[in-house]
Amino acid sequence: MSKLTLGPLFFQWKPEQRRDMYFRIADEAPIDCVYLGEVVCSKREPLYYDYLPEIVERLSAAGKQVVLSTLALITSDRELAAIAERCGEAMIVEANDVASISLLKGRPHITGPFINVFNEATLDFLVRQGAIRVNLPVELSGTAIATLARHNPVETEVLVFGRQPLSVSMRCYHSRAYGVHKESCQFVCETDPDGLAASQLTGAPLLRVNGTQTMSHGYAVLLRELTTLQTAGVTHFRLSPQVADMVQVAEIYRSVLDGDLDAASGEALLHNLTGETPYVNGYVRGREGMAWAET
Amino acid sequence: MRDIAYLELVCPAGTPAALRTAIDAGADTVYCGFRDCTNARNYPGLNFDAKELREGVAYAHARGRWVIVAINTFPRAGDVGPWHRAIDTAAACGADAVILADIGLLDYAMRKHPNLRRHLSVQAAASNPLSIDFYRETFGISRVVLPRVLAVDEVASLISRMKVEAEVFAFGSVGTMVEGRCTLSSYITGRSPSSDGVCAPAEFVHYREDGAFMESCLGDVVMNRYARNENAAYPTPCKCRLVTNDNASYLFEEPVGLNAVSILPQLKAAGVTALKIEGRQRSRAYVGQVVTAFRTVLDGLARGESKPQAVADLHAMAEGGKETLSAYKKGWK
């Protein structure tokens, strides 16, 4: 049966807000697997680290698989040490950088969407290293996803809801936009739990900035593609946490995956939860990522 | 490994003519790519076929220089053939190394052509000693091209703990995102450096007048707005002007070019093996001028002499006349 997952929270939420979201997911959401841990900025995790044990416990008690994700970009010794500690834990880890893959070699692990898996040979290599589930990059077309999912001897995961991560940098654009230094940023990113809107000079929205990460302004919504992806062999469908009510988002996706709700009706329900944020599905249609095609 | 007592100068060649120009101007090594999606500068009118590469290698080898081939995009699912052929052709033509980013391709090159040097492309974004060691142990890479997001002290720290050569960017166009992990171009145009070998492809670029202003656009997206007498920069997504909290700014980076000529002694002290000049898409004349200037500065450096005229020439040639030390500079992040 198709599994629904909740990807790592990319944004900097207040620790209690973060904890409460996960508690609700544990208690109410039809989600099979939850990814925890900081992917974007290593300065953030200490702020909410103390809450992680109780979040893990609550999710596990609810029967959900819990995975710890690693940073998408690792440069400092402090980050390397933290990653080494994470990869040494008994819990299953999602590797988002080659450094993590090298630490997890020979042990079951998951590779995250920041690992460039564009073809079968790379996929095969990762599986030989111990990957039991492979997340595909957001940039792939539906054709490429299908080719890789069919080929993949282990589980395949694809992001089907939420802002798409488009790039990562050492430079913190949140700090830059707020006129502070990265080293003394005072966590200005917490001002924008939904990311900082970055618009064109015309005023038309384009991107969202989240610290060192740049994301799509629109939510990727692949409800219409779910059946095709299921048929191609995608096993895990990732929802990326947004400020929208993720319990209700999960319920809609679960219903469409189960065939209890058609995709168009699901989309109509989803619009009630997501306000004015536009939807995108260009990448999966083999087009520019920001496009939205209904047919 | 060659014995290089000084910083190796690695120069771009978009065409066979540019290759000869770069060699004549004093390049130690020239890098180029094939005329297809296997390299990250897949622009019309550029790049090499097998015959041209063979001739280029002969020209370079006759003068004791190297030619290395960038095969640094990520092969498409179900269609790895062009990338394998590119590696096979580079080997058959006598190239001195291939520059690779994709794990599957590194694996292929190591098994099929074990004696062909493998350089890890900047597109692989290996930014820490653990990652670099992984590529060395697993795929036998000899050199890594370091990501363009590290400060000089970070470069030095990294080099002190790795067992392969380090190549760093010294001049030319640079983005602010980690290479190989940026899809802003494909988000807007459908075509990206990772898959198609192009960023902000020219066929998507257009300019339009809006009253007293001119707008530069990439696809349907307005990237910048200029007064009529202002020079318009190329609309690269990471150098566009965006509005955040009602404030228009170059949120990611100003439209400036990298020029590291002022910190060459520091880069050498950091243990850098090779300096890379970006710009396979640039003209033969530009390549000739930049390489000549760098050769002059580097030879001066080896003899303890300063070369102010060559340094001034490089300042004048920076992108849009504006230059930066980019991430090398303290506080850039």
Side-chain angles (χ1 to χ4, degrees):
Chain A
M1 192 184 80
S2 299
K3 303 278 192 193
L4 207 50
T5 76
L6 188 71
L9 175 60
F10 289 134
F11 305 104
Q12 171 61 11
W13 289 6
K14 292 195 185 335
E16 295 74 22
Q17 183 189 6
R18 177 183 290 265
R19 176 198 61 191
D20 294 347
M21 186 267 286
Y22 285 117
F23 280 3
R24 265 201 79 210
I25 293 293
D27 298 346
E28 301 174 41
I31 280 175
D32 304 287
C33 169
V34 177
Y35 294 76
L36 300 172
E38 184 60 42
V39 172
V40 177
C41 174
S42 63
K43 289 172 69 178
R44 293 172 174 176
E45 196 171 276
L47 298 179
Y48 59 84
Y49 189 82
D50 290 347
Y51 285 115
L52 282 179
E54 54 181 317
I55 294 172
V56 170
E57 193 185 324
R58 182 92 155 234
L59 290 166
S60 302
K64 303 189 190 309
Q65 183 187 39
V66 180
V67 178
L68 292 178
S69 297
T70 64
L71 285 172
L73 177 64
I74 300 166
T75 56
S76 75
D77 289 344
R78 185 173 49 77
E79 289 165 352
L80 274 177
I83 294 299
E85 192 182 325
R86 171 134 304 170
C87 292
E89 287 176 39
M91 292 178 66
I92 190 141
V93 172
E94 176 188 64
N96 280 312
D97 180 282
V98 165
S100 320
I101 292 180
S102 80
L103 290 167
L104 294 163
K105 183 182 173 184
R107 280 175 46 202
H109 62 271
I110 296 170
T111 62
F114 300 95
I115 302 291
N116 276 341
V117 184
F118 282 86
N119 54 73
E120 299 89 327
T122 297
L123 184 98
D124 290 343
F125 178 88
L126 296 174
V127 172
R128 289 200 300 274
Q129 295 284 304
I132 55 167
R133 186 183 306 158
V134 175
N135 274 271
L136 297 180
V138 297
E139 194 186 11
L140 290 182
S141 69
T143 312
I145 293 171
T147 303
L148 292 173
R150 280 196 201 97
H151 178 84
N152 189 3
V154 299
E155 296 167 345
T156 307
E157 181 164 346
V158 172
L159 188 150
V160 294
F161 174 80
R163 292 207 161 89
Q164 292 174 313
L166 299 178
S167 74
V168 59
S169 178
M170 281 291 282
R171 193 173 226 186
C172 177
Y173 305 116
H174 240 109
S175 298
R176 204 163 140 83
Y178 282 83
V180 296
H181 288 292
K182 187 184 180 188
E183 287 73 21
S184 53
C185 66
Q186 301 155 51
F187 298 100
V188 286
C189 53
E190 206 173 87
T191 318
D192 302 302
D194 196 22
L196 171 63
S199 304
Q200 303 170 45
L201 295 175
T202 57
L206 182 64
L207 300 167
R208 286 271 160 163
V209 162
N210 172 37
T212 53
Q213 183 183 52
T214 305
M215 313 175 81
S216 64
H217 168 70
Y219 289 156
V221 170
L222 306 192
L223 282 168
R224 291 166 195 256
E225 283 77 17
L226 292 184
T227 308
T228 311
L229 295 173
Q230 281 175 303
T231 308
V234 174
T235 55
H236 288 65
F237 296 84
R238 174 174 291 204
L239 313 176
S240 188
Q242 309 291 326
V243 291
D245 185 326
M246 293 307 296
V247 171
Q248 291 189 55
V249 171
E251 284 166 352
I252 292 169
Y253 273 81
R254 187 73 260 171
S255 297
V256 175
L257 280 173
D258 291 344
D260 297 333
L261 182 70
D262 67 89
S265 305
E267 256 172 44
L269 291 172
L270 197 61
H271 273 295
N272 295 331
L273 304 174
T274 55
E276 291 180 354
T277 306
Y279 295 169
V280 300
N281 61 5
Y283 281 134
V284 76
R285 302 295 180 102
R287 295 178 50 187
E288 68 276 18
M290 66 190 288
W292 170 251
E294 301 222 328
T295 53
Chain B
M1 198 187 299
R2 286 193 302 185
D3 177 34
I4 296 164
Y6 57 88
L7 285 166
E8 175 186 338
L9 188 56
V10 181
C11 304
T15 60
L19 181 147
R20 293 189 297 272
T21 299
I23 297 279
D24 294 346
D28 297 301
T29 297
V30 169
Y31 67 100
C32 58
F34 291 113
R35 201 170 287 133
D36 59 21
C37 53
T38 64
N39 89 89
R41 289 292 185 280
N42 179 24
Y43 297 111
L46 283 192
N47 298 319
F48 289 62
D49 62 23
K51 178 171 174 285
E52 290 163 339
L53 178 62
R54 198 181 293 278
E55 290 166 358
V57 168
Y59 189 85
H61 285 182
R63 290 154 183 83
R65 322 295 174 82
W66 275 10
V67 175
I68 61 181
V69 182
I71 305 167
N72 55 349
T73 52
F74 295 85
R76 272 187 298 269
D79 187 26
V80 77
W83 284 265
H84 284 182
R85 276 196 297 280
I87 293 174
D88 296 343
T89 305
C93 291
D96 298 283
V98 282
I99 310 169
L100 307 171
D102 180 66
I103 285 174
L105 281 190
L106 283 158
D107 196 37
Y108 174 83
M110 180 183 66
R111 286 186 285 105
K112 192 83 187 290
H113 305 284
N115 297 323
L116 179 62
R117 267 176 75 102
R118 292 170 292 285
H119 292 186
L120 189 66
S121 168
V122 71
Q123 298 293 325
S127 53
N128 59 69
L130 208 52
S131 293
I132 293 167
D133 228 35
F134 171 80
Y135 283 108
R136 181 185 64 81
E137 284 179 1
T138 316
F139 305 117
I141 60 162
S142 304
R143 178 180 296 185
V144 56
V145 185
L146 294 180
R148 288 173 272 197
V149 293
L150 302 171
V152 176
D153 58 337
E154 290 169 332
V155 169
S157 164
L158 195 49
I159 290 174
S160 72
R161 285 175 295 164
M162 60 190 224
K163 299 174 187 143
V164 296
E165 301 167 358
E167 181 172 309
V168 301
F169 280 87
F171 196 86
S173 186
V174 289
T176 56
M177 309 304 185
V178 176
E179 296 85 353
R181 296 188 177 191
C182 177
T183 62
L184 291 179
S185 174
S186 66
Y187 186 66
I188 297 169
T189 71
R191 304 186 68 205
S192 76
S194 297
S195 312
D196 308 290
V198 290
C199 179
E203 60 267 35
F204 289 89
V205 172
H206 58 103
Y207 300 86
R208 67 180 184 214
E209 293 188 3
D210 181 20
F213 296 99
M214 187 183 61
E215 289 178 341
S216 60
C217 306
L218 183 64
D220 297 330
V221 173
V222 174
M223 307 298 280
N224 212 335
R225 188 179 281 162
Y226 300 93
R228 279 173 189 270
N229 57 357
E230 220 180 329
N231 274 339
Y234 193 83
T236 305
C238 64
K239 292 172 184 173
C240 68
R241 200 142 33 174
L242 293 168
V243 180
T244 52
N245 293 329
D246 298 324
N247 177 41
S249 73
Y250 289 107
L251 180 62
F252 305 127
E253 180 69 289
E254 287 77 13
V256 290
L258 170 69
N259 182 2
V261 73
S262 64
I263 58 164
L264 296 185
Q266 288 99 304
L267 291 174
K268 190 177 177 186
V272 166
T273 297
L275 297 173
K276 182 167 221 157
I277 295 170
E278 185 276 346
R280 280 185 282 151
Q281 72 284 14
R282 306 298 294 257
S283 73
R284 172 187 182 179
Y286 168 91
V287 168
Q289 288 164 359
V290 173
V291 177
T292 300
F294 258 93
R295 179 79 278 150
T296 305
V297 173
L298 286 174
D299 288 349
L301 191 65
R303 292 193 294 268
E305 299 165 7
S306 62
K307 297 288 178 187
Q309 185 56 49
V311 170
D313 291 346
L314 287 170
H315 287 310
M317 282 181 285
E319 182 182 338
K322 292 174 185 163
E323 62 179 32
T324 177
L325 277 173
S326 191
Y328 291 133
K329 182 176 56 188
K330 212 172 168 58
W332 176 83
K333 293 171 197 164

